[in-house]
Amino acid sequence: MSARVLVVEDEEVLRLNLCEFLERAGYDVVAEPDGEAALARIREEEFAVVVSDIQLPKMDGVALLRHIVSERPETRVLLVTAFASVDTAIDALRNGAYDYLLKPIEFDDLLQKINNLVSYRTLRGEVLRLRRDLHRRLGYEGIVGSSDAIRQVFELIEKVAPTGSTTLITGESGTGK
């Protein structure tokens, strides 16, 4: 299955050209003309990469970027602009953009950047999966055991750990709490 790319561009001719080029490169491409439509699509579907203009109607690219980073952190965002400034580039990167391109877009450069982002995303997912598998097999640092009781403790830790809540562990003295 090819990686999915969302192109967010208000200039229709450029949007269509980008879609055609990326489809020929083997990507599954979806396009939206403005930030609000793109955000609605992102909330419904998963994308490996979003290529978005900064100057968009209804919601600009930086605002869209902030939503993507908070709602779909695994999605990589590449921002594009015709109005280059150091402040804009810094703002985009500080808000979570993975890269920044200037118009007119060099399609080969765009393709290389997207390929790199898709590869990075794939590798990151594989590392996270391998870490989870290793953690599951070896247990937790400092905790030794493979009995049913200790497996139940591991399951409880898995449930509580992502919450950030304070947890009190009780038990008999000498049990290694």
Side-chain angles (χ1 to χ4, degrees):
M1 185 171 148
S2 65
R4 299 193 74 219
V5 176
L6 174 62
V7 173
V8 188
E9 174 60 58
D10 58 327
E11 295 177 38
E12 185 176 8
V13 172
L14 180 56
R15 185 173 64 245
L16 294 174
N17 285 337
L18 286 169
C19 290
E20 183 180 322
F21 174 76
L22 293 173
E23 285 171 349
R24 278 186 289 157
Y27 288 103
D28 178 14
V29 184
V30 175
E32 292 295 347
D34 62 70
E36 285 184 1
L39 183 58
R41 182 68 72 111
I42 288 163
R43 287 177 171 158
E44 295 174 11
E45 303 172 38
E46 185 175 332
F47 296 93
V49 177
V50 173
V51 178
S52 176
D53 193 355
I54 289 180
Q55 299 292 323
L56 292 169
K58 299 183 183 177
M59 177 189 301
D60 72 19
V62 176
L64 176 62
L65 168 67
R66 286 187 192 111
H67 283 286
I68 294 169
V69 167
S70 85
E71 296 178 32
R72 296 283 190 164
E74 70 283 355
T75 300
R76 305 296 174 237
V77 180
L78 177 64
L79 290 179
V80 179
T81 187
F83 308 102
S85 77
V86 174
D87 290 338
T88 307
I90 290 171
D91 188 38
L93 295 172
R94 279 188 181 153
N95 281 290
Y98 278 81
D99 217 330
Y100 187 85
L101 275 175
L102 300 176
K103 288 181 180 179
I105 297 172
E106 292 287 333
F107 280 35
D108 290 335
D109 189 28
L110 172 69
L111 182 59
Q112 184 62 48
K113 288 179 185 292
I114 291 174
N115 288 342
N116 289 344
L117 291 175
V118 169
S119 294
Y120 174 79
R121 184 177 190 260
T122 302
L123 288 172
R124 183 164 162 52
E126 183 69 10
V127 166
L128 291 174
R129 186 189 63 76
L130 290 170
R131 282 183 182 163
R132 265 193 317 272
D133 289 350
L134 186 61
H135 221 320
R136 214 173 288 132
R137 282 191 212 143
L138 299 179
Y140 293 87
E141 186 177 329
I143 301 177
V144 179
S146 59
S147 68
D148 287 338
I150 199 69
R151 278 196 221 121
Q152 288 176 351
V153 170
F154 291 158
E155 288 174 16
L156 186 58
I157 291 170
E158 290 290 329
K159 289 178 185 175
V160 174
T163 66
S165 297
T166 302
T167 304
L168 175 63
I169 299 173
T170 62
E172 295 180 28
S173 180
T175 59
K177 298 178 292 300

